[in-house]
């Protein structure tokens, strides 16, 4: 809408009213052209000036709207950061809990292995061997004589006997 037009300049700049009057009388056509250009300039400049004034009035309102939007975005970002920190804290607590559970299960596993090893040792048959003395070592033949295996008792008779070497284990409760 703006057309670039320079401000019209008068044909002569008088210093007093008499000089102006005498110049207008002698150069009337130039002053008429000057007055016409001034009128065109004013007509073309008024809408541009009104639009500029309107924009100048709207700029503070636009600035306020942008400031409210910035404040809203800042609050939203702060809320998101707070939620992120809460989520991070909750996840850290879960990790710590799981680490504790893992340590507990590892300890349970170690205890179970120890119990297994103890059970295997208890299940192994034991043989009483006499203590050797240095003199008796010379008397022992190089090859031991083959003897008949010990008699195998029926399962009911074996389970009814108590071991002389070790006490019976505690009742198994599934742990």
């Amino acid at each position: 809408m703006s057309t670039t037009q320079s401000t019209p300049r008068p044909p002569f700049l008088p210093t007093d009213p008499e000089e102006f009057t005498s110049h207008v009388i002698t150069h009337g056509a130039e002053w008429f052209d000057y007055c016409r250009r001034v009128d065109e300039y004013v007509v073309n400049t008024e809408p541009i000036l009104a639009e500029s004034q309107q924009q100048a009035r709207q700029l503070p309102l636009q600035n306020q709207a942008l400031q409210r939007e910035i404040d809203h975005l800042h609050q939203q970002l702060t809320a998101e950061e707070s939620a992120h920190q809460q989520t991070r804290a909750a996840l850290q607590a879960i990790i710590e809990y799981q680490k504790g559970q893992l340590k507990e299960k590892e300890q349970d596993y170690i205890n179970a292995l120890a119990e297994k090893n103890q059970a295997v040792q208890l299940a192994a048959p034991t043989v009483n061997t006499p203590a050797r003395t240095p003199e008796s070592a010379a008397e022992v033949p190089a090859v031991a004589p083959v003897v008949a295996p010990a008699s195998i008792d029926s399962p009911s008779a074996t389970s009814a006997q108590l071991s002389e070497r070790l006490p019976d284990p505690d009742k198994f409760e599934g742990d």
Side-chain angles (χ1 to χ4, degrees):
M1 172 162 206
S2 67
T3 56
T4 306
Q5 184 180 15
S6 62
T7 306
R9 304 299 305 158
F12 173 69
L13 292 174
T15 57
D16 57 44
E18 291 84 28
E19 193 177 7
F20 172 71
T21 307
S22 69
H23 194 273
V24 168
I25 293 173
T26 58
H27 296 90
E30 291 176 21
W31 281 102
F32 176 77
D33 186 49
Y34 169 71
C35 289
R36 186 185 52 75
R37 286 185 290 132
V38 166
D39 183 57
E40 285 178 11
Y41 179 78
V42 168
V43 168
N44 290 334
T45 307
E46 282 179 342
I48 295 170
L49 180 62
E51 182 181 340
S52 297
Q53 289 172 339
Q54 180 65 23
Q55 287 176 351
R57 283 189 297 270
Q58 289 178 357
L59 284 176
L61 298 174
Q62 290 174 348
N63 187 24
Q64 288 175 354
L66 289 173
Q67 188 62 44
R68 281 192 300 267
E69 185 177 347
I70 288 171
D71 292 343
H72 174 70
L73 290 173
H74 180 69
Q75 289 173 350
Q76 192 175 18
L77 179 63
T78 302
E80 287 175 2
E81 286 175 349
S82 175
H84 177 70
Q85 288 175 350
Q86 289 174 349
T87 302
R88 184 180 178 131
L91 291 175
Q92 189 64 35
I94 290 171
I95 288 171
E96 293 301 320
Y97 173 76
Q98 289 176 341
K99 283 181 180 178
Q101 291 292 309
L102 178 62
K103 285 183 181 180
E104 188 177 310
K105 293 303 174 189
E106 286 174 344
Q107 188 61 43
D108 289 348
Y109 176 71
I110 291 170
N111 292 342
L113 282 178
E115 288 176 12
K116 175 191 156 212
N117 289 339
Q118 185 180 12
V120 167
Q121 287 176 353
L122 290 175
T126 58
V127 177
N128 288 333
T129 55
R132 291 187 187 193
T133 59
E135 305 86 41
S136 65
E139 298 173 3
V140 176
V143 176
V146 178
V147 284
S151 67
I152 298 176
D153 296 326
S154 68
S156 61
T158 308
S159 61
Q161 290 180 332
L162 296 178
S163 170
E164 293 180 9
R165 193 172 84 87
L166 296 172
D168 288 335
D170 293 336
K171 182 179 177 183
F172 179 73
E173 295 183 2
D175 294 312

mmCIF file with all atom_site columns, all heavy atoms in Angstrom, residues 129-146:
data_model
loop_
_atom_site.group_PDB
_atom_site.id
_atom_site.type_symbol
_atom_site.label_atom_id
_atom_site.label_alt_id
_atom_site.label_comp_id
_atom_site.label_asym_id
_atom_site.label_entity_id
_atom_site.label_seq_id
_atom_site.pdbx_PDB_ins_code
_atom_site.Cartn_x
_atom_site.Cartn_y
_atom_site.Cartn_z
_atom_site.occupancy
_atom_site.B_iso_or_equiv
_atom_site.pdbx_formal_charge
_atom_site.auth_seq_id
_atom_site.auth_comp_id
_atom_site.auth_asym_id
_atom_site.auth_atom_id
_atom_site.pdbx_PDB_model_num
ATOM 1   N N   . THR A 1 129 ? 38.046 -97.359  58.377 1.00 0.00 ? 129 THR A N   1
ATOM 2   C CA  . THR A 1 129 ? 39.346 -97.986  58.111 1.00 0.00 ? 129 THR A CA  1
ATOM 3   C C   . THR A 1 129 ? 40.171 -97.854  59.372 1.00 0.00 ? 129 THR A C   1
ATOM 4   O O   . THR A 1 129 ? 40.181 -96.801  60.013 1.00 0.00 ? 129 THR A O   1
ATOM 5   C CB  . THR A 1 129 ? 40.075 -97.307  56.930 1.00 0.00 ? 129 THR A CB  1
ATOM 6   O OG1 . THR A 1 129 ? 40.170 -95.916  57.201 1.00 0.00 ? 129 THR A OG1 1
ATOM 7   C CG2 . THR A 1 129 ? 39.339 -97.542  55.645 1.00 0.00 ? 129 THR A CG2 1
ATOM 8   N N   . PRO A 1 130 ? 40.841 -98.945  59.728 1.00 0.00 ? 130 PRO A N   1
ATOM 9   C CA  . PRO A 1 130 ? 41.648 -98.865  60.941 1.00 0.00 ? 130 PRO A CA  1
ATOM 10  C C   . PRO A 1 130 ? 42.846 -97.969  60.709 1.00 0.00 ? 130 PRO A C   1
ATOM 11  O O   . PRO A 1 130 ? 43.349 -97.860  59.599 1.00 0.00 ? 130 PRO A O   1
ATOM 12  C CB  . PRO A 1 130 ? 42.072 -100.303 61.193 1.00 0.00 ? 130 PRO A CB  1
ATOM 13  C CG  . PRO A 1 130 ? 41.944 -100.972 59.884 1.00 0.00 ? 130 PRO A CG  1
ATOM 14  C CD  . PRO A 1 130 ? 40.882 -100.251 59.131 1.00 0.00 ? 130 PRO A CD  1
ATOM 15  N N   . ALA A 1 131 ? 43.253 -97.341  61.741 1.00 0.00 ? 131 ALA A N   1
ATOM 16  C CA  . ALA A 1 131 ? 44.426 -96.482  61.646 1.00 0.00 ? 131 ALA A CA  1
ATOM 17  C C   . ALA A 1 131 ? 45.651 -97.355  61.488 1.00 0.00 ? 131 ALA A C   1
ATOM 18  O O   . ALA A 1 131 ? 45.790 -98.386  62.125 1.00 0.00 ? 131 ALA A O   1
ATOM 19  C CB  . ALA A 1 131 ? 44.540 -95.639  62.906 1.00 0.00 ? 131 ALA A CB  1
ATOM 20  N N   . ARG A 1 132 ? 46.557 -96.969  60.663 1.00 0.00 ? 132 ARG A N   1
ATOM 21  C CA  . ARG A 1 132 ? 47.767 -97.761  60.406 1.00 0.00 ? 132 ARG A CA  1
ATOM 22  C C   . ARG A 1 132 ? 48.897 -97.271  61.287 1.00 0.00 ? 132 ARG A C   1
ATOM 23  O O   . ARG A 1 132 ? 49.055 -96.075  61.505 1.00 0.00 ? 132 ARG A O   1
ATOM 24  C CB  . ARG A 1 132 ? 48.201 -97.630  58.954 1.00 0.00 ? 132 ARG A CB  1
ATOM 25  C CG  . ARG A 1 132 ? 47.263 -98.279  58.018 1.00 0.00 ? 132 ARG A CG  1
ATOM 26  C CD  . ARG A 1 132 ? 47.883 -98.226  56.662 1.00 0.00 ? 132 ARG A CD  1
ATOM 27  N NE  . ARG A 1 132 ? 46.939 -98.710  55.679 1.00 0.00 ? 132 ARG A NE  1
ATOM 28  C CZ  . ARG A 1 132 ? 47.258 -99.002  54.461 1.00 0.00 ? 132 ARG A CZ  1
ATOM 29  N NH1 . ARG A 1 132 ? 48.489 -98.851  54.050 1.00 0.00 ? 132 ARG A NH1 1
ATOM 30  N NH2 . ARG A 1 132 ? 46.379 -99.440  53.633 1.00 0.00 ? 132 ARG A NH2 1
ATOM 31  N N   . THR A 1 133 ? 49.628 -98.185  61.686 1.00 0.00 ? 133 THR A N   1
ATOM 32  C CA  . THR A 1 133 ? 50.854 -97.859  62.408 1.00 0.00 ? 133 THR A CA  1
ATOM 33  C C   . THR A 1 133 ? 51.999 -98.209  61.489 1.00 0.00 ? 133 THR A C   1
ATOM 34  O O   . THR A 1 133 ? 51.862 -99.042  60.587 1.00 0.00 ? 133 THR A O   1
ATOM 35  C CB  . THR A 1 133 ? 50.952 -98.668  63.717 1.00 0.00 ? 133 THR A CB  1
ATOM 36  O OG1 . THR A 1 133 ? 50.938 -100.045 63.404 1.00 0.00 ? 133 THR A OG1 1
ATOM 37  C CG2 . THR A 1 133 ? 49.833 -98.307  64.662 1.00 0.00 ? 133 THR A CG2 1
ATOM 38  N N   . PRO A 1 134 ? 53.133 -97.648  61.667 1.00 0.00 ? 134 PRO A N   1
ATOM 39  C CA  . PRO A 1 134 ? 54.240 -97.940  60.763 1.00 0.00 ? 134 PRO A CA  1
ATOM 40  C C   . PRO A 1 134 ? 54.607 -99.417  60.748 1.00 0.00 ? 134 PRO A C   1
ATOM 41  O O   . PRO A 1 134 ? 54.980 -99.951  59.714 1.00 0.00 ? 134 PRO A O   1
ATOM 42  C CB  . PRO A 1 134 ? 55.400 -97.104  61.293 1.00 0.00 ? 134 PRO A CB  1
ATOM 43  C CG  . PRO A 1 134 ? 54.800 -96.080  62.187 1.00 0.00 ? 134 PRO A CG  1
ATOM 44  C CD  . PRO A 1 134 ? 53.469 -96.587  62.598 1.00 0.00 ? 134 PRO A CD  1
ATOM 45  N N   . GLU A 1 135 ? 54.476 -100.130 61.857 1.00 0.00 ? 135 GLU A N   1
ATOM 46  C CA  . GLU A 1 135 ? 54.826 -101.544 61.856 1.00 0.00 ? 135 GLU A CA  1
ATOM 47  C C   . GLU A 1 135 ? 53.802 -102.345 61.056 1.00 0.00 ? 135 GLU A C   1
ATOM 48  O O   . GLU A 1 135 ? 54.124 -103.305 60.383 1.00 0.00 ? 135 GLU A O   1
ATOM 49  C CB  . GLU A 1 135 ? 54.850 -102.131 63.276 1.00 0.00 ? 135 GLU A CB  1
ATOM 50  C CG  . GLU A 1 135 ? 55.730 -101.439 64.277 1.00 0.00 ? 135 GLU A CG  1
ATOM 51  C CD  . GLU A 1 135 ? 55.035 -100.272 64.949 1.00 0.00 ? 135 GLU A CD  1
ATOM 52  O OE1 . GLU A 1 135 ? 53.860 -100.353 65.288 1.00 0.00 ? 135 GLU A OE1 1
ATOM 53  O OE2 . GLU A 1 135 ? 55.704 -99.241  65.129 1.00 0.00 ? 135 GLU A OE2 1
ATOM 54  N N   . SER A 1 136 ? 52.553 -101.942 61.176 1.00 0.00 ? 136 SER A N   1
ATOM 55  C CA  . SER A 1 136 ? 51.531 -102.730 60.496 1.00 0.00 ? 136 SER A CA  1
ATOM 56  C C   . SER A 1 136 ? 51.549 -102.487 59.002 1.00 0.00 ? 136 SER A C   1
ATOM 57  O O   . SER A 1 136 ? 51.004 -103.274 58.247 1.00 0.00 ? 136 SER A O   1
ATOM 58  C CB  . SER A 1 136 ? 50.159 -102.436 61.090 1.00 0.00 ? 136 SER A CB  1
ATOM 59  O OG  . SER A 1 136 ? 49.816 -101.075 60.835 1.00 0.00 ? 136 SER A OG  1
ATOM 60  N N   . ALA A 1 137 ? 52.159 -101.406 58.526 1.00 0.00 ? 137 ALA A N   1
ATOM 61  C CA  . ALA A 1 137 ? 52.210 -101.138 57.090 1.00 0.00 ? 137 ALA A CA  1
ATOM 62  C C   . ALA A 1 137 ? 53.031 -102.214 56.395 1.00 0.00 ? 137 ALA A C   1
ATOM 63  O O   . ALA A 1 137 ? 52.752 -102.574 55.264 1.00 0.00 ? 137 ALA A O   1
ATOM 64  C CB  . ALA A 1 137 ? 52.813 -99.758  56.833 1.00 0.00 ? 137 ALA A CB  1
ATOM 65  N N   . ALA A 1 138 ? 54.050 -102.780 57.080 1.00 0.00 ? 138 ALA A N   1
ATOM 66  C CA  . ALA A 1 138 ? 54.861 -103.819 56.464 1.00 0.00 ? 138 ALA A CA  1
ATOM 67  C C   . ALA A 1 138 ? 54.090 -105.118 56.404 1.00 0.00 ? 138 ALA A C   1
ATOM 68  O O   . ALA A 1 138 ? 54.343 -105.952 55.554 1.00 0.00 ? 138 ALA A O   1
ATOM 69  C CB  . ALA A 1 138 ? 56.135 -104.001 57.255 1.00 0.00 ? 138 ALA A CB  1
ATOM 70  N N   . GLU A 1 139 ? 53.155 -105.309 57.292 1.00 0.00 ? 139 GLU A N   1
ATOM 71  C CA  . GLU A 1 139 ? 52.407 -106.547 57.314 1.00 0.00 ? 139 GLU A CA  1
ATOM 72  C C   . GLU A 1 139 ? 51.291 -106.577 56.277 1.00 0.00 ? 139 GLU A C   1
ATOM 73  O O   . GLU A 1 139 ? 50.793 -107.639 55.955 1.00 0.00 ? 139 GLU A O   1
ATOM 74  C CB  . GLU A 1 139 ? 51.789 -106.751 58.706 1.00 0.00 ? 139 GLU A CB  1
ATOM 75  C CG  . GLU A 1 139 ? 52.826 -106.876 59.792 1.00 0.00 ? 139 GLU A CG  1
ATOM 76  C CD  . GLU A 1 139 ? 52.187 -106.907 61.160 1.00 0.00 ? 139 GLU A CD  1
ATOM 77  O OE1 . GLU A 1 139 ? 50.938 -106.896 61.238 1.00 0.00 ? 139 GLU A OE1 1
ATOM 78  O OE2 . GLU A 1 139 ? 52.902 -106.914 62.139 1.00 0.00 ? 139 GLU A OE2 1
ATOM 79  N N   . VAL A 1 140 ? 50.869 -105.407 55.777 1.00 0.00 ? 140 VAL A N   1
ATOM 80  C CA  . VAL A 1 140 ? 49.751 -105.362 54.835 1.00 0.00 ? 140 VAL A CA  1
ATOM 81  C C   . VAL A 1 140 ? 50.218 -105.929 53.506 1.00 0.00 ? 140 VAL A C   1
ATOM 82  O O   . VAL A 1 140 ? 51.262 -105.532 52.990 1.00 0.00 ? 140 VAL A O   1
ATOM 83  C CB  . VAL A 1 140 ? 49.258 -103.911 54.654 1.00 0.00 ? 140 VAL A CB  1
ATOM 84  C CG1 . VAL A 1 140 ? 48.169 -103.841 53.606 1.00 0.00 ? 140 VAL A CG1 1
ATOM 85  C CG2 . VAL A 1 140 ? 48.779 -103.347 55.968 1.00 0.00 ? 140 VAL A CG2 1
ATOM 86  N N   . PRO A 1 141 ? 49.497 -106.909 52.969 1.00 0.00 ? 141 PRO A N   1
ATOM 87  C CA  . PRO A 1 141 ? 49.896 -107.449 51.680 1.00 0.00 ? 141 PRO A CA  1
ATOM 88  C C   . PRO A 1 141 ? 49.740 -106.396 50.594 1.00 0.00 ? 141 PRO A C   1
ATOM 89  O O   . PRO A 1 141 ? 48.954 -105.468 50.712 1.00 0.00 ? 141 PRO A O   1
ATOM 90  C CB  . PRO A 1 141 ? 48.940 -108.620 51.474 1.00 0.00 ? 141 PRO A CB  1
ATOM 91  C CG  . PRO A 1 141 ? 47.809 -108.416 52.420 1.00 0.00 ? 141 PRO A CG  1
ATOM 92  C CD  . PRO A 1 141 ? 48.320 -107.542 53.509 1.00 0.00 ? 141 PRO A CD  1
ATOM 93  N N   . ALA A 1 142 ? 50.460 -106.553 49.488 1.00 0.00 ? 142 ALA A N   1
ATOM 94  C CA  . ALA A 1 142 ? 50.435 -105.599 48.386 1.00 0.00 ? 142 ALA A CA  1
ATOM 95  C C   . ALA A 1 142 ? 49.057 -105.536 47.763 1.00 0.00 ? 142 ALA A C   1
ATOM 96  O O   . ALA A 1 142 ? 48.607 -104.488 47.343 1.00 0.00 ? 142 ALA A O   1
ATOM 97  C CB  . ALA A 1 142 ? 51.468 -105.982 47.349 1.00 0.00 ? 142 ALA A CB  1
ATOM 98  N N   . VAL A 1 143 ? 48.395 -106.661 47.665 1.00 0.00 ? 143 VAL A N   1
ATOM 99  C CA  . VAL A 1 143 ? 47.052 -106.676 47.097 1.00 0.00 ? 143 VAL A CA  1
ATOM 100 C C   . VAL A 1 143 ? 46.115 -107.123 48.197 1.00 0.00 ? 143 VAL A C   1
ATOM 101 O O   . VAL A 1 143 ? 46.327 -108.143 48.823 1.00 0.00 ? 143 VAL A O   1
ATOM 102 C CB  . VAL A 1 143 ? 46.974 -107.652 45.896 1.00 0.00 ? 143 VAL A CB  1
ATOM 103 C CG1 . VAL A 1 143 ? 45.572 -107.725 45.372 1.00 0.00 ? 143 VAL A CG1 1
ATOM 104 C CG2 . VAL A 1 143 ? 47.963 -107.233 44.845 1.00 0.00 ? 143 VAL A CG2 1
ATOM 105 N N   . ALA A 1 144 ? 45.092 -106.376 48.378 1.00 0.00 ? 144 ALA A N   1
ATOM 106 C CA  . ALA A 1 144 ? 44.144 -106.714 49.430 1.00 0.00 ? 144 ALA A CA  1
ATOM 107 C C   . ALA A 1 144 ? 43.321 -107.903 48.979 1.00 0.00 ? 144 ALA A C   1
ATOM 108 O O   . ALA A 1 144 ? 42.985 -108.028 47.803 1.00 0.00 ? 144 ALA A O   1
ATOM 109 C CB  . ALA A 1 144 ? 43.250 -105.533 49.716 1.00 0.00 ? 144 ALA A CB  1
ATOM 110 N N   . PRO A 1 145 ? 43.026 -108.807 49.896 1.00 0.00 ? 145 PRO A N   1
ATOM 111 C CA  . PRO A 1 145 ? 42.225 -109.948 49.508 1.00 0.00 ? 145 PRO A CA  1
ATOM 112 C C   . PRO A 1 145 ? 40.815 -109.504 49.178 1.00 0.00 ? 145 PRO A C   1
ATOM 113 O O   . PRO A 1 145 ? 40.284 -108.551 49.730 1.00 0.00 ? 145 PRO A O   1
ATOM 114 C CB  . PRO A 1 145 ? 42.251 -110.846 50.733 1.00 0.00 ? 145 PRO A CB  1
ATOM 115 C CG  . PRO A 1 145 ? 42.550 -109.908 51.872 1.00 0.00 ? 145 PRO A CG  1
ATOM 116 C CD  . PRO A 1 145 ? 43.387 -108.828 51.295 1.00 0.00 ? 145 PRO A CD  1
ATOM 117 N N   . VAL A 1 146 ? 40.230 -110.180 48.252 1.00 0.00 ? 146 VAL A N   1
ATOM 118 C CA  . VAL A 1 146 ? 38.865 -109.878 47.846 1.00 0.00 ? 146 VAL A CA  1
ATOM 119 C C   . VAL A 1 146 ? 37.936 -110.537 48.825 1.00 0.00 ? 146 VAL A C   1
ATOM 120 O O   . VAL A 1 146 ? 38.052 -111.722 49.100 1.00 0.00 ? 146 VAL A O   1
ATOM 121 C CB  . VAL A 1 146 ? 38.592 -110.398 46.410 1.00 0.00 ? 146 VAL A CB  1
ATOM 122 C CG1 . VAL A 1 146 ? 37.160 -110.124 46.027 1.00 0.00 ? 146 VAL A CG1 1
ATOM 123 C CG2 . VAL A 1 146 ? 39.576 -109.784 45.448 1.00 0.00 ? 146 VAL A CG2 1
#
